[in-house]
């Protein structure tokens, strides 16, 4: 059950935030600036690439690496394929995970390793294997980690992960979906891909991203009341609901998948995500079934004290600003409302692609954090 009164009590939110999730969301802009500085100090802007890589291979554990690969692949588009190397193993522990290079990887490919841990033995072995194959290696991980030593031995580029002092002694470790982790791993790679001409992310663009993240933190901070706080409002709307996340636009796709991962890891909430217009056909039967909001509106025999309310779908529509007026949003609204399913909509303020992407990610990160804290996750 969601404690909505907690959302408008900043002191109670701070007391419930044992994982420093709100602080991480609020510091996202500062984390981008620190990570950009680390990238500069590591020599990213001094690189003299011979050309674009044939392919980018990205390895790392958890939701953070998945999201980074998704974002880089979206931003790079057709210029260069970005493939995440999924780990194998018997457990998610650092010592149990295993990564392998594909057989075709060679000297014209780029291996990127991102991890908020850096102690995974198999990642160090992967770096050594890439060095023997002739792959260029770039790693973003905590300074002083075994992976940092492996990257140096392989003559690769190592960028220290931007961390906050309170994270170094965090027990248990910071969640991979935590807002600070994503921007600490992603920002140096944005600078790198800008340097090799795969995307446009010069220092001034990264500063605009940081400014937008600061702006969202002001709009969605814990001191802002729910009625004027879009992230708190969305968290309250998703209470006792199954979020059905529909995305429209290039930037909205990875933002929606990131939102689903954050809901699962931070708030312990299941969700579904799909892109428009395909989502209309994929989720039509779902909205018409027992999860529809109007499936059992009275729920007359439920014990209001002992039994939790039935889980009903709620559509969350994440959109880029439409290009040329071509949009499936009206059809999405019509489908949802025809099945008595409520719908929440988020649309970023105007800006470049990277800035609007940051807008959507920051807004949904705050919503996932508020949902986690108010539901006691």
């Amino acid at each position: 059950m969601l404690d909505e009164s907690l959302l408008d009590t900043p002191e109670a939110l701070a007391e419930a935030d044992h994982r420093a999730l709100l602080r991480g969301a609020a510091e996202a802009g500062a984390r981008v600036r620190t990570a950009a500085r680390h990238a500069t100090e590591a020599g990213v802007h001094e690189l003299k690439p011979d050309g674009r890589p044939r392919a980018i291979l990205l390895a790392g554990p958890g939701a953070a690496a998945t999201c980074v690969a998704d974002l880089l692949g979206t931003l790079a588009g057709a210029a260069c394929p970005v493939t995440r190397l999924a780990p194998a193993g018997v457990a998610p522990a650092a010592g149990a995970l295993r990564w392998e290079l594909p057989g075709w990887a060679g000297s014209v490919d780029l291996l990127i390793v991102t991890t908020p841990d850096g102690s995974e033995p198999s990642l160090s072995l992967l770096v050594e294997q890439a060095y023997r194959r002739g792959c260029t290696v770039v790693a973003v991980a905590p300074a002083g980690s075994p992976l940092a030593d492996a990257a140096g031995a392989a003559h690769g580029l190592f960028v220290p992960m931007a961390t906050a002092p309170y994270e170094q002694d965090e027990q248990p470790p910071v969640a991979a979906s935590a807002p600070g982790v994503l921007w600490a791993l992603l920002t140096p790679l944005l600078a790198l891909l800008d340097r090799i001409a795969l995307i446009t992310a010069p220092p001034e663009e990264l500063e605009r991203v940081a400014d937008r993240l600061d702006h969202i933190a002001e709009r969605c901070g814990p001191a802002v009341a729910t009625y004027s706080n879009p992230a708190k409002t969305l968290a309250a709307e998703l209470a006792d609901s199954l979020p059905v996340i529909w995305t429209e636009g290039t930037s909205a796709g990875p933002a929606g998948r990131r939102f689903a991962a954050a809901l699962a890891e931070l708030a312990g909430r299941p969700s579904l995500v799909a892109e428009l217009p395909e989502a209309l056909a994929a989720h039509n039967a779902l909205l018409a079934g027992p999860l529809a909001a109007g499936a059992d509106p009275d729920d007359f025999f439920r014990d209001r004290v002992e039994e939790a309310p039935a889980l009903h779908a709620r559509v969350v529509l994440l959109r880029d600003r439409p290009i040329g007026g071509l949009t499936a949003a009206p059809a999405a609204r019509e489908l949802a409302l025809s099945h008595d399913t409520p719908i929440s909509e988020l649309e970023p303020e105007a800006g470049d692609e990277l800035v609007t992407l940051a807008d959507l990610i920051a807004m949904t990160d705050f919503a996932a954090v508020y949902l986690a804290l108010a539901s006691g996750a």
Side-chain angles (χ1 to χ4, degrees):
M1 297 292 291
L2 186 78
D3 183 1
E4 294 192 30
S5 64
L6 185 142
L7 290 177
D8 284 326
T9 311
E11 297 80 8
L13 283 171
E15 185 177 349
D17 192 10
H18 305 296
R19 294 175 288 175
L21 297 176
L22 267 179
R23 184 184 295 184
E27 294 176 348
R31 196 70 64 102
V32 168
R33 295 184 182 93
T34 302
R37 186 177 72 250
H38 286 181
T40 300
E41 293 171 351
V44 168
H45 299 294
E46 299 172 3
L47 295 175
K48 298 179 180 178
D50 295 330
R52 295 178 176 180
R54 175 181 63 178
I56 295 176
L57 304 171
L58 193 143
T66 301
C67 185
V68 168
D70 192 7
L71 291 167
L72 294 182
T74 299
L75 293 169
C80 180
V82 178
T83 302
R84 179 180 180 243
L85 302 180
V90 297
L97 296 173
R98 298 289 183 270
W99 286 267
E100 291 290 339
L101 280 179
W104 50 263
S107 59
V108 293
D109 302 310
L110 169 63
L111 172 67
I112 296 176
V113 181
T114 62
T115 171
D117 187 338
S119 67
E120 300 89 349
S122 186
L123 283 181
S124 297
L125 294 175
L126 181 71
V127 168
E128 296 175 10
Q129 183 185 12
Y131 176 64
R132 292 194 300 269
R133 296 265 199 101
C135 296
T136 302
V137 176
V138 176
V140 183
S145 62
L147 182 60
D149 297 333
H155 303 287
L157 174 67
F158 175 76
V159 181
M161 177 182 168
T163 58
Y166 60 85
E167 289 180 345
Q168 298 173 4
D169 299 323
E170 189 76 16
Q171 295 294 333
V174 179
S177 291
V181 172
L182 171 64
W183 292 110
L185 296 177
L186 177 64
T187 303
L189 302 180
L190 295 175
L192 173 69
L193 266 60
D194 174 76
R195 187 62 183 172
I196 59 180
L198 286 179
I199 66 173
T200 302
E204 55 270 21
E205 181 71 3
L206 295 180
E207 183 61 31
R208 284 193 287 270
V209 168
D211 290 342
R212 179 61 64 89
L213 292 173
D214 289 343
H215 174 64
I216 297 299
E218 292 176 0
R219 290 183 61 198
C220 301
V224 181
T226 299
Y227 67 85
S228 58
N229 187 322
K232 287 183 179 181
T233 299
L234 180 58
E237 290 172 346
L238 293 181
D240 304 318
S241 297
L242 173 67
V244 179
I245 304 167
W246 291 347
T247 68
E248 183 177 57
T250 304
S251 298
R257 292 185 286 273
R258 155 76 181 180
F259 187 30
L263 286 173
E265 185 170 359
L266 303 183
R269 296 299 184 96
S271 60
L272 299 172
V273 59
E275 296 188 17
L276 294 175
E278 289 87 352
L280 302 180
H283 291 160
N284 183 31
L286 182 147
L287 297 185
L291 290 175
D296 187 12
D298 294 328
D299 199 10
F300 183 78
F301 294 103
R302 178 174 66 85
D303 188 322
R304 265 40 179 189
V305 176
E306 298 295 335
E307 298 180 31
L311 191 67
H312 293 306
R314 184 182 188 99
V315 171
V316 180
L317 179 58
L318 304 182
R319 301 177 62 215
D320 288 345
R321 293 184 176 274
I323 299 176
L326 185 63
T327 173
R333 297 185 191 104
E334 182 179 355
L335 177 63
L337 296 178
S338 69
H339 293 299
D340 296 322
T341 300
I343 183 168
S344 303
E345 297 191 38
L346 289 180
E347 186 174 306
E349 298 178 12
D352 296 334
E353 180 181 16
L354 195 54
V355 173
T356 59
L357 179 59
D359 191 312
L360 287 173
I361 290 176
M363 193 82 69
T364 52
D365 275 353
F366 267 105
V369 168
Y370 284 126
L371 189 59
L373 298 181
S375 60

